[in-house]
Amino acid sequence: MTVTWRRSMAAVAVAGAMTAGCASTPPMVQPVTDVPTAPSSDAPAEPTSVDDESSEGAGSQASETAGGAGQVAELVTPAADFDPCSVLSAADVSEAIGIDVPQGESHEVMGTYQCRFTDSEDSGVSVQWVPFAGGFDGALTVLENTFDITGDVEPVDIAGAGDAVRVPIAFGPAIGEVVYARVQGGYFQVMTLTETGPTDAVPVTTLTLERVP
């Protein structure tokens, strides 16, 4: 499972990072470790569009459903260089998903910040902060090209977030989900993946937003 986790963590990192540094979505996602930092934006995020009926795939599903997620008066506002590892411990994440994970490791990928809680067996979690104000539809499109999408994109209510959706995924023998939560100046991308059964990424996302300084 170690190789699967390395590949999947790198892939989901790039899925988020591509929207921070690129105007268009590439057809393929390759695992990335050391790459130049892309410029980011601190401008407030615009609500995800729900009017584009011509788009297809997971990205278009997000456009249709994200507007129904919990809208709040005040969005969480992370710093552009916020590192999720600074507020999450292994004990926090283990309790949230019900599976023991090791201490998180911080990775900077193309101007985004990802904390990976992975082990050598069959479980893991990644929490990524993407300081890109344009929304997460592009990341969803890259996600669809990287993982198997196993169900519908569904809106979720997360305190401190505007639009938020969950996406069920599979990667080889592992199954899990990715949650995208739009906040001020960008969005969070939280993935859980395990061979032992589905896990809920919403509690980790909620905990992360609660702890943003």
Side-chain angles (χ1 to χ4, degrees), residues 6-19:
R6 287 174 180 167
R7 289 175 57 208
S8 61
M9 289 297 99
V12 82
V14 176
M18 284 299 178
T19 56

Side-chain angles (χ1 to χ4, degrees), residues 60-185:
S60 62
Q61 285 183 301
S63 295
E64 295 166 3
T65 61
Q71 299 291 336
V72 295
E74 231 176 287
L75 299 182
V76 166
T77 308
D81 61 352
F82 173 71
D83 182 354
C85 279
S86 68
V87 297
L88 296 174
S89 68
D92 294 331
V93 175
S94 296
E95 182 177 359
I97 67 170
I99 296 174
D100 289 338
V101 297
Q103 190 58 41
E105 296 181 355
S106 181
H107 299 263
E108 183 178 352
V109 182
M110 296 174 67
T112 75
Y113 298 85
Q114 185 186 61
C115 188
R116 302 178 190 174
F117 300 85
T118 64
D119 59 28
S120 58
E121 295 180 0
D122 59 0
S123 64
V125 175
S126 73
V127 180
Q128 186 173 6
W129 162 234
V130 183
F132 172 71
F136 48 72
D137 275 2
L140 276 163
T141 301
V142 180
L143 187 77
E144 186 182 43
N145 292 333
T146 310
F147 296 85
D148 293 325
I149 308 300
T150 59
D152 294 333
V153 178
E154 298 180 353
V156 290
D157 291 325
I158 297 176
D163 301 336
V165 296
R166 73 195 318 159
V167 188
I169 61 170
F171 191 87
I175 57 176
E177 69 177 19
V178 179
V179 168
Y180 293 93
R182 180 180 59 82
V183 297
Q184 193 81 353

